[in-house]
Amino acid sequence: MSKAQYIDKINLKMLRSRIQQLIISKNIPMEALSDRTNFTPKQIYRIIYGNGNTSISNIFAIAEAMELHIMELFVIDFKIPSYDIDIDFYRKKPKVKADKTKDKPITAAAAIRILSSDGYFKKTDRINEEKTLNRIVKDCKSRFRDDFKTSEFSSALLYSFKKGLLKRYKQKNTDSFVYCIL
C-alpha cells in the first residue's frame, strides 16, 4: 500500500489565488493560456482553480504563458516555521560518556544551553578564557561527549547569536569570533 500524495492545500490555495489575480490584472483569456501552453482548457482550469496537486512544470508553463517570471507567481504570504535549536544532528555511532547522559546523546544546542545556565559564557577580559568556537568544542568534548564535531557547534552558536541568546565579537589577535553573554 503506497502513501498518499502530499498536498499543501493552504499554500496551493494562496498560489492559485495569486495566479487568478494576475490573470485578471493582465486580462488574459483562458483560451490564450490554453494555446500558449498546449494544455486543454480543462487542464488549465484544474491548474488554476482545482483542489488537487499540480506539478512545478505546470506552474512554469503557466508563468511563461502569462509572460511572467516564475517568482512573480510565488509572491504569497508563505508562513515559515520557527524551529527550536534542538536539532538532532545525525550521528552513526555516538560516543557518549556514560556518566553524563543515559537516554540519548546530548546535542550541541543542548550543550550550549547547559553551558549558558552554568555561566560559561560570561564575558571575561582574559585572553586564555575567551570562548571561541574551538575552545567551546574542546570544553564540550571533555565535559559531555568525545565525538562532538566543530560543525555542530558552528550552526548552534550562529543560531544562538541570531536569536539574541549570545553575543559575539571578533577576537583582536586571530579575527575569530568570541561568544559571550553581556
Side-chain angles (χ1 to χ4, degrees), residues 88-126:
D88 188 18
F89 295 94
Y90 299 97
R91 293 175 201 89
K92 291 182 180 174
K93 292 183 181 178
K95 298 174 189 169
V96 180
K97 291 189 176 184
D99 61 334
K100 299 299 177 186
T101 60
K102 290 181 181 165
D103 296 337
K104 72 178 201 181
I106 190 167
T107 63
I112 289 171
R113 278 199 304 276
I114 292 168
L115 292 175
S116 294
S117 66
D118 291 349
Y120 179 85
F121 289 104
K122 286 185 181 171
K123 189 169 184 203
T124 178
D125 292 329
R126 289 178 265 185

Side-chain angles (χ1 to χ4, degrees), residues 55-73:
S55 72
I56 195 71
S57 296
N58 290 346
I59 301 298
F60 274 113
I62 295 292
E64 288 174 4
M66 294 174 66
E67 298 175 345
L68 294 172
H69 189 278
I70 188 77
M71 293 310 294
E72 289 185 59
L73 299 182

